[in-house]
Amino acid sequence: MSEAYTAPTLEDFERALERVHRITQRTPLESSRFLAGISGVPQVFLKCENLQRTGAYKLRGAYNRLLLLTPEERARGVVAASAGNHAQGVAFAARELGIKATIFMPKGVALPKLQATRNYGAEVQLAGDIFDETSVAAQEFVRETGAVFIPPFDDHAVIEGQGTVALEILQRAPEVETIIVPIGGGGLISGVAAAAKQWAAKQGKPMRIIGVQSENAAPFPVSLEAGEPTTVKTFPTIADGIAVARPGERNFAAVREFVDEIVTVSDDDIARAIVFLLERAKLVVEPAGAAGVAAMIAGKVAPSGTTAVILSGGNIDPLLLQRVIGHGLAASARYTKLRILLPDVPGQLVRTATIVAEQNANVVEVIHTRHATELPVSEVELELHIETRGPEHGEAVAQALRDQGYQVRVGERY
């Protein structure tokens, strides 16, 4: 299928934009001086699909797909398998069109995503401990009921809908020459790349499209090297929204034709990006949605000209956000762990805390042990978790302790 697939035309995307605007929002395009500064480009825009209705771009493709159903297909109802944004997009679009929607979700799905999908009017069935089992259950339901399955990315109408993000960017900022896009199965980047490249060709302007995958779930680089969609082994990642093991057939063909470069980022990179977006841009973005910003901060991409980065979604469980913020602060050396060897005599805890305070660092956790087998009998280990302004500040605190005669390790055991 990938060899023969023809992506939507620019006119197709323009018609899709008119359709999806019946229910979707034209999301903001915010400017980031910091990202422009570190990238050396005139301007960087953030396309805030995290502020889209349902909290993600997925609503665009879902609504475009459902709107094109025949009356007979609408009567049969629709079904989808998803642990998050696709589920909510299909549920919301189906409600707006008066179509019955059944959504299959894994048993361990985050409660906020489950409740949101139900609140949009869908019937939710929990099936399977892993997503593959959930998908099998959804396909069985299709065979039994005749309901229409709505794919999350490997579908022409879905690609058309997702590509409307690019048209909104270019209508608002026609000077954009590079667009950076998170990639899972490839639905978003397929539409964005095809729409943007065709728009740029019509205008006689340059356009680069850069995709970003999680390094723990990155089938596109392998597939492009192999020349065909390839299944890869995936590993746990906080970016569950783009954790896909195999590209879609249509998506692979579109990416091969229109995308210039694909890079990968680590969970640490993504966590740092989430903290940056919270602090600097005042935006709540889910891990998958922050992948493009992560690539810029980590120096994984070299954009040219005015650049737009798509923040693809903002649906993050508050409990996960709490953990990710801590992880992001640690990855940015804003949390520093110090292990200090002390003589086992009174007053040492106060003395070390005073030294830390004099360096304007804040202690957030203290672990004091004298029972570790590797410690001399006359000494104890003090583990301090401190807030700092960054790696230089953390090292300054450690050096101040060393200057007072203490043995200090930063982030490691003796």
Side-chain angles (χ1 to χ4, degrees):
M1 181 185 298
S2 59
E3 292 292 337
Y5 179 64
T6 300
T9 65
L10 180 59
E11 292 72 24
D12 292 333
F13 287 117
E14 290 170 342
R15 286 190 290 269
L17 183 62
E18 292 179 5
R19 288 193 294 267
V20 302
H21 274 172
R22 298 175 192 177
I23 68 165
T24 64
Q25 295 179 343
R26 188 181 290 271
T27 52
L29 199 62
E30 301 290 343
S31 181
S32 172
R33 291 182 180 179
F34 175 79
L35 291 177
I38 66 172
S39 303
V41 297
Q43 195 165 17
V44 172
F45 291 109
L46 303 174
K47 178 58 171 169
C48 301
E49 285 296 290
N50 59 310
L51 302 179
Q52 184 58 263
R53 298 176 81 175
T54 75
Y57 75 95
K58 287 281 190 178
L59 177 60
R60 298 171 182 268
Y63 184 73
N64 194 55
R65 179 70 177 85
L66 268 61
L67 199 61
L68 297 177
L69 293 174
T70 66
E72 185 271 335
E73 288 173 325
R74 292 190 185 198
R76 284 154 48 193
V78 296
V79 61
S82 170
N85 293 337
H86 181 57
Q88 294 173 62
V90 171
F92 189 98
R95 184 188 70 183
E96 295 299 299
L97 293 169
I99 301 172
K100 180 182 178 182
T102 304
I103 309 295
F104 284 78
M105 306 184 85
K107 293 176 182 177
V109 65
L111 183 60
K113 295 179 180 180
L114 173 63
Q115 284 302 120
T117 305
R118 285 176 170 161
N119 290 343
Y120 293 139
E123 177 186 331
V124 177
Q125 296 197 23
L126 300 178
D129 295 316
I130 59 174
F131 184 73
D132 285 349
E133 296 172 357
T134 307
S135 184
V136 168
Q139 295 293 348
E140 181 62 29
F141 181 85
V142 168
R143 287 190 291 271
E144 292 174 356
T145 65
V148 179
F149 184 74
I150 307 299
F153 48 81
D154 195 4
D155 180 272
H156 188 83
V158 170
I159 292 170
E160 242 180 25
Q162 317 305 26
T164 62
V165 177
L167 295 188
E168 286 188 12
I169 292 171
L170 295 168
Q171 287 175 357
R172 177 84 178 277
E175 67 272 26
V176 165
E177 295 182 13
T178 300
I179 303 178
I180 302 176
V181 192
I183 310 181
L188 177 61
I189 198 167
S190 298
V192 166
K197 283 293 183 75
Q198 292 179 78
W199 180 92
K202 185 177 179 180
Q203 303 296 323
K205 295 184 175 183
M207 179 63 63
R208 290 184 67 220
I209 306 295
I210 301 174
V212 184
Q213 292 206 285
S214 165
E215 64 183 26
N216 286 350
F220 268 99
V222 175
S223 298
L224 290 169
E225 185 176 347
E228 60 182 4
T230 303
T231 302
V232 301
K233 183 177 181 180
T234 63
F235 300 91
T237 172
I238 59 173
D240 58 347
I242 53 174
V244 175
R246 181 183 177 88
E249 296 279 346
R250 297 170 182 83
N251 312 119
F252 172 79
V255 166
R256 184 165 58 178
E257 181 177 358
F258 295 109
V259 175
D260 298 283
E261 182 182 4
I262 293 176
V263 300
T264 63
V265 291
S266 69
D267 277 6
D268 279 355
D269 295 333
I270 292 170
R272 281 192 290 267
I274 290 172
V275 172
F276 160 78
L277 288 163
L278 281 169
E279 285 192 319
R280 298 290 189 94
K282 315 307 177 191
L283 293 169
V284 177
V285 181
E286 65 188 73
V293 172
M296 296 193 77
I297 293 175
K300 299 291 184 69
V301 295
S304 55
T306 298
T307 298
V309 190
I310 298 176
L311 309 179
S312 57
N315 292 319
I316 182 169
D317 185 331
L319 293 176
L320 174 60
L321 180 59
Q322 182 182 37
R323 296 197 301 272
V324 169
I325 289 172
H327 194 82
L329 290 171
S332 302
R334 300 270 297 282
Y335 279 161
T336 301
K337 182 189 296 183
L338 303 178
R339 299 181 185 278
I340 310 164
L341 203 60
L342 306 175
D344 190 11
V345 296
Q348 291 299 311
L349 182 57
V350 172
R351 186 170 179 232
T352 54
T354 299
I355 295 169
V356 171
E358 288 172 348
Q359 295 298 314
N360 295 312
N362 185 40
V363 177
V364 294
E365 187 174 2
V366 177
I367 301 173
H368 184 270
T369 180
R370 55 166 48 89
H371 301 303
T373 56
E374 67 269 28
L375 292 174
V377 174
S378 62
E379 295 181 325
V380 298
E381 183 185 65
L382 179 66
E383 182 179 306
L384 294 182
H385 295 201
I386 62 173
E387 279 183 300
T388 68
R389 295 186 297 274
E392 295 83 3
H393 189 203
E395 183 54 41
V397 176
Q399 189 58 50
L401 289 161
R402 294 186 186 109
D403 290 345
Q404 295 299 317
Y406 294 108
Q407 296 183 46
V408 182
R409 296 287 189 275
V410 180
E412 58 180 309
R413 294 204 66 84
Y414 290 92

